[in-house]
């Protein structure tokens, strides 16, 4: 049996993921080189497209907002020992909650309608996640299997509702009517313009502030509250939790409810902040990216914010890269993201062990 790895917390949460990302980009560079393109030029286009202009930065932060919410959703469940891969379905149902609230309460002013829309998203996302949580806690159904099933159920349900129930009779598109204007979350360029500051137009909206507030809330919950302590105990050792008077079944359900509510933030950003109507496939696979974000960020809110920024750069910069260098298609950008996930997840132990050995040798040299 191998000895436990002794690493400082900062090294485990910052240094090891950074080494993993650097190694992943080196391997991705070899892939780019193999198809006859210059990796340095590709990196320049990637960074210039995502961070080099105000518009590109706005789109990067917009994607980052989505990834923060789904990353936090995965992280809360992960701390309870659960692998919630149902963020797609939970965000989809959250979108349904938004549409039902906003399109049925059109008479309300914006200062009431916007919070109610956000609460609707959280409630529907939480309710959709609560069922797999209950099945895991009370019936022993595996959370991975049930959340996969619920992703498909959400997809089928939303298609049926948009085609047969919620679609406008005059429209051929499977989408609801536009939400009332007072329910729109303001775009960031409009907010800055109100203060006399001009920034480039993009999809970025004030939901980013909500995502950062949610990150702080999750940090307080997990690391500074009794409930968070109970969640971590259940995730570490359910048997010990029982001896401590903690009900694992109760904590599992609570963790999944919180996870689903956080996944609903994706719907808030996409629908209330940008699309302004409920439409098919608005989640665009972001729920699955949240798994990689949470793993790379060590299920810690700060790490999740940084990992979300990285994937935001990949999404926005990848579009610019595919335009400037057609040989590097969007599929190639997906491959690069997959390599990062591989190195940050599957090969993470390899880098952690190497860093631990370096720290051990440094300690011996000082002794």
């Amino acid at each position: 049996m191998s000895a436990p790895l002794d690493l400082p917390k900062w090294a485990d949460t910052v240094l090891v993921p950074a080494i993993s990302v650097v190694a992943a980009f080196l391997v991705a560079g070899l892939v780019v080189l193999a198809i006859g393109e210059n990796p340095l030029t590709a990196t320049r286009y990637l960074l210039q497209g995502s961070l080099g202009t105000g518009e590109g930065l706005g789109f990067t932060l917009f994607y980052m907002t989505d990834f923060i919410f789904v990353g936090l959703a995965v992280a809360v469940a992960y701390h309870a020992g659960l692998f919630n891969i149902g963020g797609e379905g939970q965000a989809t149902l959250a979108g349904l909650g938004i549409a039902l609230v906003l399109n049925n309460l059109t008479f309300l002013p914006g200062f009431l309608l916007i919070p109610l829309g956000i609460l609707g998203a959280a409630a529907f996302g939480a309710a959709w996640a609560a069922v797999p949580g209950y099945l895991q806690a009370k019936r022993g159904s595996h959370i991975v299997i049930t959340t996969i099933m619920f992703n498909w159920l959400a997809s089928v349900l939303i298609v049926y509702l948009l085609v047969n129930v919620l679609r406008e009779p005059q429209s051929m598109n499977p989408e609801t009517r536009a939400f009332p204007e007072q329910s729109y979350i303001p775009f960031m360029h409009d907010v800055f313009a109100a203060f006399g500051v001009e920034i480039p137009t993009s999809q970025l909206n004030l939901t980013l502030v909500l995502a950062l507030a949610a990150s702080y809330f999750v940090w307080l919950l997990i690391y500074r509250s009794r409930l968070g302590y109970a969640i971590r105990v259940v995730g570490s050792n359910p048997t010990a939790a029982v001896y401590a008077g903690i009900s694992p079944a109760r904590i599992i359900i609570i963790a999944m409810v919180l996870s689903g509510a956080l996944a609903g933030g994706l719907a808030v950003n996409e629908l209330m902040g940008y699309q302004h109507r409920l439409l098919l496939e608005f989640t665009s696979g972001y729920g699955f990216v949240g798994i990689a974000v949470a793993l790379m960020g060590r299920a810690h809110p700060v790490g999740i914010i940084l990992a979300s920024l990285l994937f935001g750069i990949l999404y926005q910069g990848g579009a610019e890269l595919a335009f400037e260098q057609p040989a590097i298609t969007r599929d190639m950008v997906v491959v690069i993201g997959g390599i990062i996930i591989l190195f940050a997840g599957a090969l993470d132990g390899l880098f952690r062990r190497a860093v631990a050995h370096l720290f051990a040798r440094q300690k011996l040299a000082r002794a």
Side-chain angles (χ1 to χ4, degrees), residues 78-334:
Y78 186 81
H79 280 292
L82 306 169
F83 198 46
N84 176 21
I85 58 175
E88 281 281 303
Q90 291 148 24
T92 298
L93 263 292
L96 176 61
I98 289 173
L100 293 177
V101 170
L102 299 187
N103 280 339
N104 286 286
L105 299 176
T106 57
F107 55 88
L108 291 177
F111 71 89
L112 290 177
L113 201 52
I114 289 176
L116 286 175
I118 295 171
L119 289 176
F124 272 65
W128 198 250
V131 180
Y134 174 83
L135 293 175
Q136 166 86 14
K138 300 295 186 179
R139 294 292 182 264
S141 301
H142 201 288
I143 200 74
V144 171
I145 303 300
T146 52
T147 49
I148 289 174
M149 292 173 59
F150 270 63
N151 281 340
W152 286 103
L153 288 173
S155 177
V156 172
L157 176 63
I158 206 68
V159 168
Y160 172 81
L161 291 175
L162 285 177
V163 171
N164 298 288
V165 180
L166 300 175
R167 179 172 60 89
E168 282 194 286
Q170 301 86 0
S171 174
M172 294 296 293
N173 297 323
E175 59 186 33
T176 64
R177 68 178 187 272
F179 300 152
E181 286 192 19
Q182 69 268 28
S183 70
Y184 296 176
I185 293 178
F187 288 110
M188 204 67 81
H189 56 263
D190 290 333
V191 174
F192 276 80
F195 291 96
V197 179
E198 295 295 327
I199 64 173
T201 301
S202 71
Q203 300 171 0
L204 180 65
N205 57 79
L206 283 179
T207 312
L208 173 62
V209 178
L210 182 63
L212 296 176
S215 301
Y216 181 64
F217 165 77
V218 170
W219 178 79
L220 288 176
L221 170 71
I222 298 298
Y223 298 104
R224 292 293 185 272
S225 72
R226 293 179 62 184
L227 176 59
Y229 175 76
I231 289 173
R232 287 184 286 129
V233 170
V234 169
S236 300
N237 193 326
T239 304
V242 172
Y243 278 100
I246 299 170
S247 169
R250 173 177 169 271
I251 293 301
I252 286 171
I253 295 173
I254 290 174
M256 284 301 295
V257 166
L258 291 172
S259 181
L262 287 165
L266 190 162
V268 173
N269 187 45
E270 289 286 337
L271 301 185
M272 296 180 65
Y274 172 53
Q275 302 285 357
H276 303 143
R277 57 175 48 82
L278 176 61
L279 66 167
L280 290 179
E281 298 181 355
F282 69 87
T283 55
S284 302
Y286 299 153
F288 297 113
V289 178
I291 300 170
V293 167
L295 292 175
M296 183 176 291
R298 295 294 187 276
H300 191 285
V302 174
I304 287 169
I305 291 172
L306 296 176
S308 297
L309 176 60
L310 172 63
F311 277 92
I313 290 171
L314 281 176
Y315 266 68
Q316 173 58 24
E320 183 74 16
L321 179 60
F323 178 78
E324 296 289 346
Q325 292 187 295
I328 304 177
T329 63
R330 291 290 294 178
D331 292 334
M332 285 293 299
V333 177
V334 173

